Amino acid sequence: MDRESISLSEAEWKVMEELWNCGCATGRELTERMEQRCSWNRSTTLTLLRRMEGKGAVESVQEGPVKTFRPRLRREDAALRETESFLGRVYHGSLSMMVSTLSRKQALSRKEIDELYSLLREAEVKTDGQDD
């Protein structure tokens, strides 16, 4: 499966966050972290890891009795996939409609407004000279 097309459930996102933060971890380390963070039992975490390995989101290396997991899916790719899915489902692919909705519902700070202007200027430079 193409890594950019991998869809993660909410529970899988939690496991991936742990792996993205640490780079790699043993099954034992992950089960302990997920127990502390989410009150999950060992079986839940190991089932999720097997499912995620099947999807190609994580990979494992077995060294004796110890299995170490690491992400195969980059955080940026997962975030982009999720954002594109959300944008298509909720806003029919319209980024401007999403930004308009969000800016009407919550006040933007000066810093956020400046960041948005900066992003728009970068997008404008990229599209200059391209056909619409």
Side-chain angles (χ1 to χ4, degrees), residues 6-23:
I6 295 172
S7 179
L8 299 172
S9 69
E10 187 174 338
E12 291 168 339
W13 267 96
K14 291 176 182 178
V15 175
M16 288 302 293
E17 286 292 339
E18 288 296 324
L19 286 171
W20 286 323
N21 288 334
C22 68

mmCIF file of all heavy atoms in Angstrom, residues 6-23:
data_model
loop_
_atom_site.group_PDB
_atom_site.id
_atom_site.type_symbol
_atom_site.label_atom_id
_atom_site.label_comp_id
_atom_site.label_asym_id
_atom_site.label_seq_id
_atom_site.Cartn_x
_atom_site.Cartn_y
_atom_site.Cartn_z
ATOM 1 N N ILE A 6 -2.381 5.735 3.329
ATOM 2 C CA ILE A 6 -2.737 5.009 4.554
ATOM 3 C C ILE A 6 -3.611 5.897 5.438
ATOM 4 O O ILE A 6 -3.262 7.025 5.754
ATOM 5 C CB ILE A 6 -1.475 4.579 5.328
ATOM 6 C CG1 ILE A 6 -0.678 3.565 4.508
ATOM 7 C CG2 ILE A 6 -1.846 3.999 6.689
ATOM 8 C CD1 ILE A 6 0.673 3.233 5.098
ATOM 9 N N SER A 7 -4.743 5.344 5.809
ATOM 10 C CA SER A 7 -5.660 6.050 6.694
ATOM 11 C C SER A 7 -5.520 5.472 8.099
ATOM 12 O O SER A 7 -5.457 4.257 8.266
ATOM 13 C CB SER A 7 -7.091 5.861 6.185
ATOM 14 O OG SER A 7 -8.006 6.513 7.019
ATOM 15 N N LEU A 8 -5.448 6.350 9.090
ATOM 16 C CA LEU A 8 -5.284 5.924 10.479
ATOM 17 C C LEU A 8 -6.547 6.194 11.286
ATOM 18 O O LEU A 8 -7.146 7.269 11.158
ATOM 19 C CB LEU A 8 -4.116 6.661 11.132
ATOM 20 C CG LEU A 8 -2.735 6.464 10.524
ATOM 21 C CD1 LEU A 8 -1.733 7.401 11.164
ATOM 22 C CD2 LEU A 8 -2.286 5.022 10.656
ATOM 23 N N SER A 9 -6.920 5.242 12.124
ATOM 24 C CA SER A 9 -8.029 5.464 13.049
ATOM 25 C C SER A 9 -7.539 6.380 14.175
ATOM 26 O O SER A 9 -6.331 6.619 14.324
ATOM 27 C CB SER A 9 -8.502 4.133 13.635
ATOM 28 O OG SER A 9 -7.515 3.608 14.508
ATOM 29 N N GLU A 10 -8.464 6.841 14.985
ATOM 30 C CA GLU A 10 -8.091 7.701 16.113
ATOM 31 C C GLU A 10 -7.130 6.985 17.066
ATOM 32 O O GLU A 10 -6.147 7.564 17.533
ATOM 33 C CB GLU A 10 -9.344 8.155 16.864
ATOM 34 C CG GLU A 10 -9.069 9.175 17.941
ATOM 35 C CD GLU A 10 -10.324 9.712 18.582
ATOM 36 O OE1 GLU A 10 -11.399 9.639 17.963
ATOM 37 O OE2 GLU A 10 -10.221 10.206 19.715
ATOM 38 N N ALA A 11 -7.398 5.718 17.335
ATOM 39 C CA ALA A 11 -6.519 4.937 18.220
ATOM 40 C C ALA A 11 -5.140 4.764 17.594
ATOM 41 O O ALA A 11 -4.116 4.860 18.282
ATOM 42 C CB ALA A 11 -7.151 3.581 18.515
ATOM 43 N N GLU A 12 -5.099 4.511 16.284
ATOM 44 C CA GLU A 12 -3.816 4.355 15.605
ATOM 45 C C GLU A 12 -3.004 5.653 15.631
ATOM 46 O O GLU A 12 -1.779 5.622 15.747
ATOM 47 C CB GLU A 12 -4.040 3.876 14.167
ATOM 48 C CG GLU A 12 -4.557 2.459 14.098
ATOM 49 C CD GLU A 12 -5.054 2.041 12.729
ATOM 50 O OE1 GLU A 12 -5.381 2.922 11.900
ATOM 51 O OE2 GLU A 12 -5.129 0.826 12.478
ATOM 52 N N TRP A 13 -3.683 6.778 15.540
ATOM 53 C CA TRP A 13 -2.991 8.070 15.647
ATOM 54 C C TRP A 13 -2.264 8.176 16.990
ATOM 55 O O TRP A 13 -1.135 8.667 17.054
ATOM 56 C CB TRP A 13 -3.982 9.244 15.518
ATOM 57 C CG TRP A 13 -4.126 9.744 14.120
ATOM 58 C CD1 TRP A 13 -5.086 9.390 13.224
ATOM 59 C CD2 TRP A 13 -3.275 10.671 13.438
ATOM 60 N NE1 TRP A 13 -4.875 10.040 12.036
ATOM 61 C CE2 TRP A 13 -3.786 10.832 12.138
ATOM 62 C CE3 TRP A 13 -2.134 11.383 13.817
ATOM 63 C CZ2 TRP A 13 -3.193 11.684 11.200
ATOM 64 C CZ3 TRP A 13 -1.552 12.225 12.880
ATOM 65 C CH2 TRP A 13 -2.073 12.372 11.591
ATOM 66 N N LYS A 14 -2.900 7.712 18.049
ATOM 67 C CA LYS A 14 -2.284 7.793 19.380
ATOM 68 C C LYS A 14 -0.991 6.977 19.438
ATOM 69 O O LYS A 14 0.015 7.426 19.990
ATOM 70 C CB LYS A 14 -3.267 7.332 20.454
ATOM 71 C CG LYS A 14 -4.423 8.299 20.638
ATOM 72 C CD LYS A 14 -5.438 7.788 21.630
ATOM 73 C CE LYS A 14 -6.599 8.779 21.729
ATOM 74 N NZ LYS A 14 -7.634 8.331 22.636
ATOM 75 N N VAL A 15 -1.026 5.785 18.856
ATOM 76 C CA VAL A 15 0.178 4.947 18.821
ATOM 77 C C VAL A 15 1.246 5.607 17.949
ATOM 78 O O VAL A 15 2.428 5.658 18.322
ATOM 79 C CB VAL A 15 -0.150 3.530 18.306
ATOM 80 C CG1 VAL A 15 1.114 2.706 18.153
ATOM 81 C CG2 VAL A 15 -1.143 2.830 19.244
ATOM 82 N N MET A 16 0.830 6.123 16.795
ATOM 83 C CA MET A 16 1.792 6.765 15.894
ATOM 84 C C MET A 16 2.441 7.979 16.560
ATOM 85 O O MET A 16 3.638 8.212 16.381
ATOM 86 C CB MET A 16 1.116 7.182 14.580
ATOM 87 C CG MET A 16 0.759 6.022 13.668
ATOM 88 S SD MET A 16 2.155 4.978 13.173
ATOM 89 C CE MET A 16 3.096 6.108 12.156
ATOM 90 N N GLU A 17 1.676 8.736 17.327
ATOM 91 C CA GLU A 17 2.248 9.894 18.033
ATOM 92 C C GLU A 17 3.387 9.448 18.933
ATOM 93 O O GLU A 17 4.430 10.098 19.000
ATOM 94 C CB GLU A 17 1.178 10.635 18.841
ATOM 95 C CG GLU A 17 0.212 11.452 18.024
ATOM 96 C CD GLU A 17 0.844 12.657 17.351
ATOM 97 O OE1 GLU A 17 1.921 13.131 17.772
ATOM 98 O OE2 GLU A 17 0.249 13.133 16.368
ATOM 99 N N GLU A 18 3.187 8.347 19.637
ATOM 100 C CA GLU A 18 4.257 7.820 20.500
ATOM 101 C C GLU A 18 5.482 7.456 19.662
ATOM 102 O O GLU A 18 6.609 7.775 20.024
ATOM 103 C CB GLU A 18 3.774 6.590 21.275
ATOM 104 C CG GLU A 18 2.791 6.887 22.378
ATOM 105 C CD GLU A 18 3.384 7.741 23.491
ATOM 106 O OE1 GLU A 18 4.575 7.585 23.838
ATOM 107 O OE2 GLU A 18 2.634 8.570 24.037
ATOM 108 N N LEU A 19 5.267 6.775 18.550
ATOM 109 C CA LEU A 19 6.394 6.365 17.704
ATOM 110 C C LEU A 19 7.073 7.561 17.039
ATOM 111 O O LEU A 19 8.290 7.604 16.932
ATOM 112 C CB LEU A 19 5.930 5.353 16.650
ATOM 113 C CG LEU A 19 5.658 3.957 17.181
ATOM 114 C CD1 LEU A 19 4.991 3.095 16.122
ATOM 115 C CD2 LEU A 19 6.948 3.311 17.667
ATOM 116 N N TRP A 20 6.299 8.518 16.587
ATOM 117 C CA TRP A 20 6.904 9.714 15.979
ATOM 118 C C TRP A 20 7.735 10.468 17.008
ATOM 119 O O TRP A 20 8.777 11.016 16.687
ATOM 120 C CB TRP A 20 5.839 10.621 15.393
ATOM 121 C CG TRP A 20 5.226 10.115 14.116
ATOM 122 C CD1 TRP A 20 5.853 9.451 13.101
ATOM 123 C CD2 TRP A 20 3.863 10.244 13.713
ATOM 124 N NE1 TRP A 20 4.960 9.159 12.100
ATOM 125 C CE2 TRP A 20 3.735 9.637 12.445
ATOM 126 C CE3 TRP A 20 2.746 10.815 14.301
ATOM 127 C CZ2 TRP A 20 2.528 9.596 11.750
ATOM 128 C CZ3 TRP A 20 1.531 10.773 13.607
ATOM 129 C CH2 TRP A 20 1.443 10.160 12.352
ATOM 130 N N ASN A 21 7.279 10.506 18.235
ATOM 131 C CA ASN A 21 8.009 11.233 19.273
ATOM 132 C C ASN A 21 9.302 10.538 19.689
ATOM 133 O O ASN A 21 10.286 11.193 19.999
ATOM 134 C CB ASN A 21 7.124 11.457 20.501
ATOM 135 C CG ASN A 21 6.046 12.492 20.248
ATOM 136 O OD1 ASN A 21 6.203 13.375 19.408
ATOM 137 N ND2 ASN A 21 4.943 12.374 20.942
ATOM 138 N N CYS A 22 9.290 9.205 19.701
ATOM 139 C CA CYS A 22 10.479 8.491 20.193
ATOM 140 C C CYS A 22 11.320 7.880 19.075
ATOM 141 O O CYS A 22 12.467 7.512 19.302
ATOM 142 C CB CYS A 22 10.086 7.419 21.203
ATOM 143 S SG CYS A 22 9.165 6.042 20.490
ATOM 144 N N GLY A 23 10.772 7.759 17.876
ATOM 145 C CA GLY A 23 11.526 7.176 16.767
ATOM 146 C C GLY A 23 11.350 5.679 16.658
ATOM 147 O O GLY A 23 11.084 5.153 15.594
#
